[in-house]
Amino acid sequence: MERIRHALDAALQASRLIMKYYEGEVKVETKADQSPVTIADKEADELIRKILEDTGLPILSEEHPIPPHEERLQWEQFWMVDPLDGTKEFIKKNGEFTINIALIENNVPVGGVIAAPASNIVYFGESGYGSFKSELSADTENLNDIFKNVTRLEPHDFVKGESLKVAVSRSHLDETTVNYIEKLKKDYDVDTTSAGSAIKIGLLAEGKAHIYPRFSPCMEWDIAAGFGIVNQLDFQFISTENQKKLNFNKKDLHVNGFIALRDKKFL
């Protein structure tokens, strides 16, 4: 898990930087696609890139120019980074933002780190090693501290008779998602939990959610790290366009919709 240790180090240091801005005044700019960006996004990106460069692998990040697809197709392994996922939640100061770092191999996320700085939680995993959660504290200074209070995460099956737990987006809950949940309610007792950013994938990893549906567009870097973590727990990310597993490192990095689940009967 040496490569993921680099990502954990990057996420830990970026968490400290982001929290300094979070606790102060948040100055917001608007990108070309009309999405918000802050200085915390930009500086976290620079810090993460600097640490990951030591691995020698290419880096694809939301806050950095995207290389041409022809070049990216030559990458056997690379990092995919969202230095501050949930910028809207960061601006609202509700704590529901994350740092997402995915390890991609042959265009499939095989590992990932999701750090939730305001909650002092880090999820991480890698193919062949499993998935884990670590709870941090004010005394957390380095990687060794992350591994002191770590829990191995195990797959959680939906048991007939229990409530079907569905994680939904706090900022992107659209009519299609509402209709999907209403359809589930015909056969199951459904509990929904709203959250921002990749925290929803953390809920899947912990067994606090069975399904995470999203029918509105997002970007690959929003979910790649989470995919690399919960893939070790037998979750699949199924495209709502063709009902096939999601592809990564596409020419167009948009994801038009997906349902993350372990049991396809909920599709």
Side-chain angles (χ1 to χ4, degrees):
M1 195 180 281
E2 190 59 35
R3 295 172 300 182
I4 291 301
R5 289 178 69 91
H6 277 86
L8 281 168
D9 185 27
L12 181 61
Q13 294 194 42
S15 293
R16 293 181 185 136
L17 183 153
I18 287 171
M19 288 305 294
K20 288 181 180 178
Y21 284 108
Y22 183 70
E23 291 162 359
E25 181 181 356
V26 179
K27 295 182 180 180
V28 184
E29 300 176 9
T30 302
K31 294 193 284 190
D33 64 359
Q34 300 304 305
S35 62
V37 65
T38 71
I39 190 171
D41 295 74
K42 298 176 181 179
E43 291 195 3
D45 175 65
E46 292 179 8
L47 177 58
I48 292 168
R49 290 175 61 83
K50 183 177 180 181
I51 294 172
L52 294 182
E53 282 172 357
D54 289 342
T55 65
L57 298 180
I59 303 167
L60 190 160
S61 175
E62 176 182 10
E63 303 304 336
H64 202 78
I66 306 300
H69 192 226
E70 295 75 14
E71 178 183 340
R72 291 189 277 118
L73 286 177
Q74 305 306 310
W75 297 350
E76 292 184 7
Q77 295 181 336
F78 68 96
W79 298 105
M80 184 176 284
V81 178
D82 188 343
L84 181 49
D85 180 29
T87 300
K88 291 180 180 178
E89 317 305 332
F90 177 81
I91 294 167
K92 294 176 185 175
K93 295 199 172 187
N94 66 12
E96 295 180 351
F97 55 90
T98 59
I99 297 162
N100 304 339
I101 304 175
L103 177 64
I104 312 288
E105 187 173 287
N106 297 321
N107 299 326
V108 177
V110 296
V113 173
I114 297 174
S119 303
N120 289 317
I121 293 173
V122 178
Y123 303 97
F124 61 97
E126 185 176 357
S127 178
Y129 293 94
S131 301
F132 306 86
K133 174 188 175 183
S134 180
E135 297 187 25
L136 313 183
S137 70
D139 298 325
T140 303
E141 296 182 354
N142 52 45
L143 288 180
N144 291 333
D145 292 332
I146 290 178
F147 286 96
K148 285 179 181 177
N149 191 22
V150 69
T151 301
R152 175 182 284 273
L153 302 173
E154 302 292 345
H156 289 77
D157 290 313
F158 170 71
V159 178
K160 188 176 181 179
E162 71 174 319
S163 294
L164 181 64
K165 303 179 183 68
V166 181
V168 296
S169 174
R170 187 176 299 284
S171 298
H172 303 279
L173 182 59
D174 58 8
E175 184 178 356
T176 308
T177 306
V178 172
N179 290 339
Y180 169 76
I181 293 171
E182 289 302 314
K183 183 179 177 181
L184 290 175
K185 286 182 177 179
K186 294 179 180 179
D187 298 307
Y188 304 97
D189 178 21
V190 177
D191 287 337
T192 60
T193 300
S194 300
S197 70
I199 286 174
K200 295 180 288 296
I201 305 179
L203 296 176
L204 293 178
E206 288 194 73
K208 294 180 178 179
H210 299 108
I211 313 173
Y212 167 25
R214 174 158 177 159
F215 293 90
S216 57
C218 65
M219 302 299 293
E220 289 186 17
W221 48 65
D222 293 322
I223 59 174
F227 183 108
I229 295 169
V230 300
N231 189 41
Q232 320 307 320
L233 302 170
D234 301 326
F235 276 93
Q236 300 180 55
F237 282 61
I238 306 298
S239 168
T240 56
E241 293 184 300
N242 56 24
Q243 284 69 56
K244 295 180 180 179
K245 291 183 180 180
L246 288 183
N247 294 317
F248 288 81
N249 198 25
K250 306 185 304 297
K251 183 174 183 179
D252 181 353
L253 294 168
H254 283 86
V255 177
N256 290 324
F258 65 88
I259 301 176
L261 38 61
R262 294 185 70 225
D263 192 333
K264 286 190 175 182
K265 71 183 178 185
F266 298 124
L267 286 175

